[in-house]
Amino acid sequence: MSVSRSLLQRQLRMRETLIMNKKELISALESLGMRPGRGLGQNFLLDANLLEWIVRNCGAQTNENVLEVGPGFGALTEKMVAAKFNVTAIEFDHRLAGFLRKKFADAPNFTLIEADACKVDFNELFPAGTTYRAVANLPYAISSVFIARMLECHNPPSSMFFMLQKEMGERLAASPGTKAYGALSVRTQLLYDVAIDKIVPPQVFCPPPEVDSALVSFKLASQRPELPETVEKIFTPLVRNLFNQRRKQIGKILGQICGSKDTAAKILDSCGFSTELRPDKLSVAEFIQLATATANAGIINIKG
């Protein structure tokens, strides 16, 4: 009985804390002339326990460089600054940027960049030799574009830990042969080992999204392949072209790409692949094999 009462009291305290945070959030939004809504392109995370869980499990340590995108009112930022991470936050909304400057004015381990995260030059921000991680409650509207930008960095993050829509998380972590497996799955898993660490309900956000979310971890693969320049150049457009017609047989799609069915058949035969395979049956390693054989056949320019 005492255990049940204690559990109930703890749940009530958690609910009260969440409600108070929501009131504070709405008050802060109103002070900036903003209203909570989907038009902001972001769902603000309110649960203090979950924020602390993210900081504990994101992989970052004291004095490490951490990139945060879409900090909003700085709920996660505050926890990371307190943990003594060196936080570089990118905020697009000028009103939120102004709020953050005041909030963290006395924090020496906080840097704010007011910009569109999908247009920032990360190679300049984190040049070769600089180690950093990326941790964020990513604005859902930019998640796929931003992650694609991270994959293109010459010096990608050593790890990433993102709050994403559950469906997006499933796409990134998908296995060959599944419905969720696609071009972004392949491109991401070329560099990172991807895992869904926690499913998150809508109730911990304001405004609550209409779908579940997921905390997704990305760790640089220990056996990352070093692709020759010619293979690296065609890898992404080749994968995109194949998945754009994922229901067709790979021999037909590759024939269109090469401009010759015979060339496509020879490339596939050299890989030991049937011309009747569907693109979503190939693993990341097999896509590398196919891209290498395609480049060796002299196909070095693919649009897409």
Side-chain angles (χ1 to χ4, degrees), residues 141-174:
I142 70 165
S143 58
S144 60
V145 176
F146 175 74
I147 290 171
R149 286 294 308 280
M150 290 286 96
L151 301 177
E152 294 168 357
C153 289
H154 297 311
N155 180 33
S158 60
S159 73
M160 302 189 291
F161 199 71
F162 294 147
M163 179 79 77
L164 303 168
Q165 283 190 357
K166 180 184 174 184
E167 182 181 356
M168 173 59 70
E170 290 172 341
R171 282 177 59 195
L172 295 167

Short mmCIF file of all heavy atoms in Angstrom, two decimals, residues 141-174:
data_model
loop_
_atom_site.label_atom_id
_atom_site.label_comp_id
_atom_site.label_asym_id
_atom_site.label_seq_id
_atom_site.Cartn_x
_atom_site.Cartn_y
_atom_site.Cartn_z
N ALA A 141 10.61 19.30 -39.21
CA ALA A 141 10.51 19.74 -40.61
C ALA A 141 11.85 19.69 -41.33
O ALA A 141 11.89 19.61 -42.56
CB ALA A 141 9.93 21.15 -40.67
N ILE A 142 12.97 19.75 -40.59
CA ILE A 142 14.28 19.79 -41.25
C ILE A 142 15.11 18.53 -41.00
O ILE A 142 16.25 18.45 -41.44
CB ILE A 142 15.10 21.02 -40.80
CG1 ILE A 142 15.56 20.87 -39.34
CG2 ILE A 142 14.32 22.30 -41.02
CD1 ILE A 142 16.65 21.85 -38.93
N SER A 143 14.56 17.55 -40.30
CA SER A 143 15.38 16.43 -39.82
C SER A 143 16.08 15.67 -40.95
O SER A 143 17.29 15.41 -40.87
CB SER A 143 14.54 15.47 -38.97
OG SER A 143 13.44 14.98 -39.71
N SER A 144 15.38 15.33 -42.02
CA SER A 144 16.01 14.54 -43.08
C SER A 144 17.06 15.36 -43.82
O SER A 144 18.13 14.84 -44.15
CB SER A 144 14.95 14.00 -44.05
OG SER A 144 14.24 15.06 -44.66
N VAL A 145 16.75 16.63 -44.08
CA VAL A 145 17.70 17.49 -44.78
C VAL A 145 18.95 17.72 -43.94
O VAL A 145 20.09 17.64 -44.43
CB VAL A 145 17.06 18.85 -45.14
CG1 VAL A 145 18.08 19.78 -45.79
CG2 VAL A 145 15.87 18.64 -46.06
N PHE A 146 18.75 17.97 -42.65
CA PHE A 146 19.90 18.24 -41.77
C PHE A 146 20.78 17.00 -41.62
O PHE A 146 22.01 17.09 -41.68
CB PHE A 146 19.43 18.72 -40.40
CG PHE A 146 20.56 18.90 -39.43
CD1 PHE A 146 21.43 19.99 -39.55
CD2 PHE A 146 20.80 17.98 -38.42
CE1 PHE A 146 22.50 20.15 -38.68
CE2 PHE A 146 21.86 18.14 -37.55
CZ PHE A 146 22.71 19.23 -37.68
N ILE A 147 20.18 15.85 -41.42
CA ILE A 147 20.97 14.63 -41.27
C ILE A 147 21.76 14.35 -42.56
O ILE A 147 22.93 13.96 -42.51
CB ILE A 147 20.06 13.44 -40.91
CG1 ILE A 147 19.56 13.61 -39.46
CG2 ILE A 147 20.81 12.10 -41.04
CD1 ILE A 147 18.49 12.63 -39.05
N ALA A 148 21.13 14.59 -43.70
CA ALA A 148 21.84 14.44 -44.98
C ALA A 148 23.05 15.38 -45.04
O ALA A 148 24.12 15.01 -45.54
CB ALA A 148 20.90 14.70 -46.15
N ARG A 149 22.91 16.60 -44.51
CA ARG A 149 24.02 17.55 -44.47
C ARG A 149 25.16 17.02 -43.60
O ARG A 149 26.34 17.15 -43.93
CB ARG A 149 23.57 18.91 -43.93
CG ARG A 149 22.73 19.75 -44.86
CD ARG A 149 23.48 20.22 -46.08
NE ARG A 149 24.75 20.88 -45.77
CZ ARG A 149 24.89 22.14 -45.37
NH1 ARG A 149 23.82 22.91 -45.25
NH2 ARG A 149 26.08 22.65 -45.13
N MET A 150 24.81 16.41 -42.48
CA MET A 150 25.83 15.85 -41.60
C MET A 150 26.60 14.73 -42.29
O MET A 150 27.81 14.58 -42.11
CB MET A 150 25.18 15.30 -40.32
CG MET A 150 24.63 16.34 -39.37
SD MET A 150 25.93 17.23 -38.46
CE MET A 150 26.12 18.69 -39.48
N LEU A 151 25.90 13.96 -43.11
CA LEU A 151 26.55 12.85 -43.82
C LEU A 151 27.53 13.34 -44.86
O LEU A 151 28.45 12.61 -45.25
CB LEU A 151 25.49 11.97 -44.48
CG LEU A 151 24.43 11.34 -43.56
CD1 LEU A 151 23.42 10.55 -44.38
CD2 LEU A 151 25.08 10.45 -42.51
N GLU A 152 27.34 14.58 -45.33
CA GLU A 152 28.21 15.13 -46.37
C GLU A 152 29.43 15.85 -45.80
O GLU A 152 30.31 16.27 -46.55
CB GLU A 152 27.39 16.11 -47.22
CG GLU A 152 26.28 15.44 -48.02
CD GLU A 152 25.31 16.44 -48.62
OE1 GLU A 152 25.47 17.67 -48.36
OE2 GLU A 152 24.38 16.01 -49.32
N CYS A 153 29.49 16.00 -44.47
CA CYS A 153 30.61 16.72 -43.85
C CYS A 153 31.93 15.98 -44.08
O CYS A 153 31.98 14.75 -44.00
CB CYS A 153 30.38 16.86 -42.35
SG CYS A 153 29.08 18.02 -41.89
N HIS A 154 32.99 16.75 -44.33
CA HIS A 154 34.31 16.15 -44.42
C HIS A 154 34.75 15.63 -43.04
O HIS A 154 35.52 14.68 -42.94
CB HIS A 154 35.33 17.16 -44.94
CG HIS A 154 35.04 17.64 -46.33
ND1 HIS A 154 34.76 16.78 -47.37
CD2 HIS A 154 34.97 18.90 -46.85
CE1 HIS A 154 34.54 17.47 -48.47
NE2 HIS A 154 34.66 18.76 -48.19
N ASN A 155 34.26 16.29 -42.00
CA ASN A 155 34.57 15.91 -40.63
C ASN A 155 33.25 15.70 -39.89
O ASN A 155 32.80 16.56 -39.13
CB ASN A 155 35.40 17.01 -39.94
CG ASN A 155 35.75 16.65 -38.50
OD1 ASN A 155 35.94 15.49 -38.17
ND2 ASN A 155 35.82 17.66 -37.64
N PRO A 156 32.59 14.54 -40.09
CA PRO A 156 31.27 14.32 -39.48
C PRO A 156 31.37 14.15 -37.97
O PRO A 156 32.44 13.85 -37.44
CB PRO A 156 30.79 13.03 -40.15
CG PRO A 156 32.05 12.31 -40.52
CD PRO A 156 33.04 13.39 -40.88
N PRO A 157 30.25 14.35 -37.25
CA PRO A 157 30.27 14.16 -35.80
C PRO A 157 30.68 12.73 -35.43
O PRO A 157 30.34 11.78 -36.14
CB PRO A 157 28.81 14.41 -35.39
CG PRO A 157 28.20 15.17 -36.52
CD PRO A 157 28.92 14.73 -37.76
N SER A 158 31.40 12.60 -34.31
CA SER A 158 31.79 11.26 -33.87
C SER A 158 30.57 10.46 -33.42
O SER A 158 30.59 9.22 -33.46
CB SER A 158 32.80 11.36 -32.72
OG SER A 158 32.25 12.05 -31.62
N SER A 159 29.52 11.16 -33.02
CA SER A 159 28.25 10.51 -32.71
C SER A 159 27.14 11.55 -32.82
O SER A 159 27.39 12.76 -32.76
CB SER A 159 28.24 9.89 -31.31
OG SER A 159 28.18 10.90 -30.31
N MET A 160 25.92 11.07 -33.01
CA MET A 160 24.75 11.95 -33.03
C MET A 160 23.67 11.31 -32.16
O MET A 160 23.58 10.08 -32.08
CB MET A 160 24.24 12.17 -34.45
CG MET A 160 25.28 12.75 -35.40
SD MET A 160 24.64 13.26 -37.03
CE MET A 160 24.23 11.68 -37.78
N PHE A 161 22.88 12.14 -31.52
CA PHE A 161 21.81 11.65 -30.66
C PHE A 161 20.64 12.61 -30.84
O PHE A 161 20.67 13.74 -30.35
CB PHE A 161 22.27 11.62 -29.19
CG PHE A 161 21.45 10.75 -28.30
CD1 PHE A 161 21.51 9.37 -28.40
CD2 PHE A 161 20.61 11.30 -27.34
CE1 PHE A 161 20.75 8.55 -27.56
CE2 PHE A 161 19.86 10.49 -26.50
CZ PHE A 161 19.93 9.11 -26.62
N PHE A 162 19.61 12.16 -31.57
CA PHE A 162 18.54 13.06 -31.98
C PHE A 162 17.16 12.56 -31.55
O PHE A 162 16.88 11.36 -31.60
CB PHE A 162 18.52 13.22 -33.51
CG PHE A 162 19.72 13.91 -34.08
CD1 PHE A 162 20.20 13.56 -35.33
CD2 PHE A 162 20.36 14.93 -33.39
CE1 PHE A 162 21.30 14.20 -35.88
CE2 PHE A 162 21.47 15.58 -33.93
CZ PHE A 162 21.94 15.21 -35.17
N MET A 163 16.32 13.52 -31.17
CA MET A 163 14.90 13.25 -31.04
C MET A 163 14.29 13.45 -32.42
O MET A 163 14.42 14.52 -33.02
CB MET A 163 14.26 14.21 -30.04
CG MET A 163 12.75 13.99 -29.86
SD MET A 163 12.39 12.58 -28.78
CE MET A 163 12.73 13.35 -27.18
N LEU A 164 13.64 12.41 -32.92
CA LEU A 164 13.06 12.44 -34.26
C LEU A 164 11.65 11.87 -34.23
O LEU A 164 11.26 11.20 -33.26
CB LEU A 164 13.90 11.59 -35.23
CG LEU A 164 15.38 11.94 -35.38
CD1 LEU A 164 16.10 10.83 -36.12
CD2 LEU A 164 15.53 13.26 -36.13
N GLN A 165 10.89 12.13 -35.27
CA GLN A 165 9.64 11.40 -35.40
C GLN A 165 9.96 9.91 -35.46
O GLN A 165 10.95 9.51 -36.08
CB GLN A 165 8.89 11.82 -36.67
CG GLN A 165 8.18 13.15 -36.56
CD GLN A 165 7.26 13.42 -37.73
OE1 GLN A 165 7.20 12.63 -38.68
NE2 GLN A 165 6.56 14.53 -37.69
N LYS A 166 9.13 9.10 -34.83
CA LYS A 166 9.38 7.66 -34.79
C LYS A 166 9.55 7.08 -36.19
O LYS A 166 10.43 6.25 -36.43
CB LYS A 166 8.22 6.96 -34.07
CG LYS A 166 8.37 5.45 -33.96
CD LYS A 166 7.14 4.83 -33.32
CE LYS A 166 7.21 3.31 -33.35
NZ LYS A 166 5.97 2.70 -32.81
N GLU A 167 8.71 7.52 -37.12
CA GLU A 167 8.78 7.01 -38.50
C GLU A 167 10.14 7.32 -39.13
O GLU A 167 10.72 6.49 -39.82
CB GLU A 167 7.67 7.63 -39.34
CG GLU A 167 7.64 7.13 -40.78
CD GLU A 167 6.53 7.78 -41.60
OE1 GLU A 167 5.74 8.55 -41.03
OE2 GLU A 167 6.47 7.50 -42.81
N MET A 168 10.66 8.53 -38.87
CA MET A 168 11.98 8.89 -39.39
C MET A 168 13.06 8.01 -38.76
O MET A 168 13.97 7.53 -39.45
CB MET A 168 12.26 10.36 -39.11
CG MET A 168 13.69 10.81 -39.46
SD MET A 168 14.16 10.56 -41.19
CE MET A 168 13.14 11.82 -41.97
N GLY A 169 12.97 7.79 -37.45
CA GLY A 169 13.93 6.92 -36.78
C GLY A 169 13.92 5.52 -37.36
O GLY A 169 14.99 4.91 -37.55
N GLU A 170 12.74 5.02 -37.66
CA GLU A 170 12.62 3.67 -38.23
C GLU A 170 13.23 3.62 -39.63
O GLU A 170 13.84 2.61 -40.01
CB GLU A 170 11.15 3.27 -38.27
CG GLU A 170 10.57 2.99 -36.88
CD GLU A 170 9.07 2.77 -36.89
OE1 GLU A 170 8.41 3.17 -37.88
OE2 GLU A 170 8.56 2.22 -35.91
N ARG A 171 13.10 4.70 -40.38
CA ARG A 171 13.72 4.75 -41.72
C ARG A 171 15.24 4.69 -41.62
O ARG A 171 15.90 3.96 -42.36
CB ARG A 171 13.31 6.03 -42.44
CG ARG A 171 11.92 6.04 -43.03
CD ARG A 171 11.63 7.41 -43.64
NE ARG A 171 12.59 7.76 -44.67
CZ ARG A 171 12.76 8.99 -45.16
NH1 ARG A 171 12.05 9.99 -44.67
NH2 ARG A 171 13.65 9.21 -46.10
N LEU A 172 15.78 5.46 -40.70
CA LEU A 172 17.24 5.55 -40.58
C LEU A 172 17.86 4.24 -40.09
O LEU A 172 18.98 3.90 -40.45
CB LEU A 172 17.60 6.70 -39.64
CG LEU A 172 17.22 8.09 -40.15
CD1 LEU A 172 17.32 9.11 -39.04
CD2 LEU A 172 18.11 8.49 -41.33
N ALA A 173 17.13 3.52 -39.23
CA ALA A 173 17.65 2.29 -38.64
C ALA A 173 17.19 1.03 -39.39
O ALA A 173 17.53 -0.08 -38.98
CB ALA A 173 17.22 2.20 -37.18
N ALA A 174 16.46 1.20 -40.49
CA ALA A 174 15.82 0.07 -41.18
C ALA A 174 16.83 -0.92 -41.77
O ALA A 174 17.95 -0.56 -42.15
CB ALA A 174 14.90 0.59 -42.28
#
